[in-house]
Amino acid sequence: MQKLITKLPLIILCILCSTLVVTAQSVEGRWDITITKGNKKFPSWLEINHSGVKYFNGRFVGSGGSARPISRVYFKDNKMSFSIPPQWDREDKDLVVEAELKDGKLEGTMNQPNGEVLNWVGVKAPKLIKSSEPIFAKPMPIFNGKNLDGWEIIGREDRPAAGENQWIVENGVLKSPKSGANIRTTKTFGDFKLHVEFRVPEGSNSGVYLRGRYEVQITDGFGIEPSAIELGGIYGFVKPLEMPAKKAGEWQSYDITLVGRVVTVMLNGKTTIYKAEIPGITGGAIDSNEAEAGPIMFQGDHGPIEFRNITIAVAK
């Protein structure tokens, strides 16, 4: 009898773990989200993980901003909910997210800090795992140094002022002299090796979006500690190993390899991120369709930035 009593808590713990696993199989994981606002669509992302044997926590990325932690995600009877404090919103109220799990999808509402209620649908994010490293073709230029052929302006619906074209080409350099629209390639790419040189003024901010969904951050990073939201970081997700930044106003370079969702970044010739997994889309992504090919996009709505010598080697 004593042995049975001693083992009883362990049996109960196993039952609790088993129950959580069964529940987690339905809601736990990464979700690619599409938010509807009128006739507009905006991307978002959600990750749900179990914490111990009774609770869930996670991370959330809105249409802008970085990944934010969720201390507790509630899930019962196929109903999911959580709330998180505002990030860049002017209001003080929490973002409140609710959904129901139906037919393998999450469908629900987001109550914004400003009181606006938006509908959303989430589907399980693809794993994008490759069994082997691809063979890459010879690098080819995607900027001709003369004009904007092969590029198009892309504004942001949440920033109406960022819809006009401010991009120009001068002396082989693609320039955004002031804040305005983003710019993307008309072609789309799957796996690739990208080379791009950039020059960022003091205090300015930009980014290179891989497939239009994953931002490699550009900031004036000279003399600061490595950070996931500063130069060389995968915005809000992956921190570089070191910060080999040059001074503002000097030409710098990225050499970026993206295979599936695994990324390697070289900043100014030094490997700062090596074969790291990008969990999901970053703020400002064009969409949340991670399984699809996408463009190279440069951010132009956070201050002046310049680019040159842009080449890409695609996987065969």
Side-chain angles (χ1 to χ4, degrees):
M1 177 62 73
Q2 180 64 35
K3 289 183 179 180
L4 179 60
I5 293 173
T6 303
K7 291 183 179 180
L8 188 58
L10 180 61
I11 294 172
I12 294 173
L13 180 63
C14 290
I15 292 172
L16 285 171
C17 289
S18 175
T19 303
L20 179 62
V21 170
V22 170
T23 305
Q25 286 175 351
S26 59
V27 74
E28 188 176 3
R30 296 167 177 168
W31 298 85
D32 286 339
I33 291 173
T34 300
I35 303 169
T36 300
K37 181 178 180 180
N39 60 350
K40 307 294 184 181
K41 305 289 185 182
F42 299 93
S44 184
W45 178 86
L46 173 66
E47 181 179 54
I48 300 175
N49 304 303
H50 67 266
S51 176
V53 297
K54 296 171 64 176
Y55 303 111
F56 294 103
N57 58 24
R59 290 186 290 181
F60 174 80
V61 176
S63 59
S66 61
R68 289 181 274 171
I70 309 169
S71 61
R72 184 167 177 180
V73 178
Y74 296 89
F75 185 71
K76 184 178 181 181
D77 298 330
N78 287 332
K79 301 290 180 64
M80 184 276 299
S81 65
F82 65 87
S83 63
I84 52 175
Q87 189 175 43
W88 301 113
D89 308 86
R90 295 177 180 178
E91 295 80 11
D92 295 328
K93 293 182 179 179
D94 285 0
L95 169 71
V96 179
V97 180
E98 298 178 336
E100 182 177 3
L101 182 65
K102 299 189 297 185
D103 301 323
K105 295 182 179 181
L106 284 171
E107 300 183 24
T109 59
M110 291 187 185
N111 195 323
Q112 304 291 315
N114 65 3
E116 187 176 28
V117 179
L118 304 177
N119 295 321
W120 65 276
V121 176
V123 298
K124 279 292 182 73
K127 294 186 181 300
L128 301 180
I129 301 299
K130 303 297 177 74
S131 59
S132 61
E133 189 81 7
I135 297 174
F136 293 94
K138 183 180 178 180
M140 60 180 183
I142 52 175
F143 169 56
N144 63 20
K146 301 176 182 179
N147 52 45
L148 295 179
D149 288 355
W151 294 80
E152 63 183 3
I153 301 305
I154 176 169
R156 285 184 54 173
E157 299 294 340
D158 57 340
R159 293 180 185 165
E164 296 182 2
N165 177 32
Q166 80 287 359
W167 293 90
I168 57 175
V169 179
E170 289 182 351
N171 301 319
V173 178
L174 177 61
K175 297 182 177 182
S176 173
K178 62 179 182 179
S179 296
N182 297 336
I183 193 170
R184 53 159 285 181
T185 58
T186 54
K187 291 184 177 180
T188 58
F189 308 95
D191 298 337
F192 55 80
K193 289 188 174 184
L194 174 71
H195 174 83
V196 57
E197 298 171 14
F198 60 92
R199 183 160 61 181
V200 56
E202 184 176 355
S204 196
N205 180 306
S206 182
V208 178
Y209 279 79
L210 314 177
R211 300 194 197 114
R213 302 184 187 101
Y214 314 118
E215 182 186 10
V216 186
Q217 176 72 304
I218 293 177
T219 59
D220 171 16
F222 183 76
I224 67 173
E225 291 296 316
S227 167
I229 61 172
E230 296 291 348
L231 182 67
I234 307 301
Y235 190 66
F237 279 131
V238 184
K239 181 175 75 172
L241 297 171
E242 58 179 306
M243 181 63 79
K246 297 182 181 181
K247 292 182 179 180
E250 296 185 24
W251 283 104
Q252 306 190 63
S253 66
Y254 273 144
D255 288 279
I256 304 166
T257 302
L258 181 64
V259 178
R261 61 171 69 251
V262 175
V263 66
T264 295
V265 178
M266 294 182 68
L267 172 60
N268 297 325
K270 292 188 176 182
T271 301
T272 52
I273 294 175
Y274 181 72
K275 291 189 175 180
E277 181 189 46
I278 304 176
I281 67 168
T282 59
I286 59 169
D287 59 42
S288 58
N289 304 326
E290 292 191 87
E292 298 180 3
I296 302 301
M297 184 173 76
F298 297 146
Q299 189 176 51
D301 58 358
H302 278 59
I305 186 68
E306 298 179 357
F307 297 97
R308 71 179 186 185
N309 297 335
I310 310 164
T311 64
I312 197 165
V314 297
K316 293 183 177 180

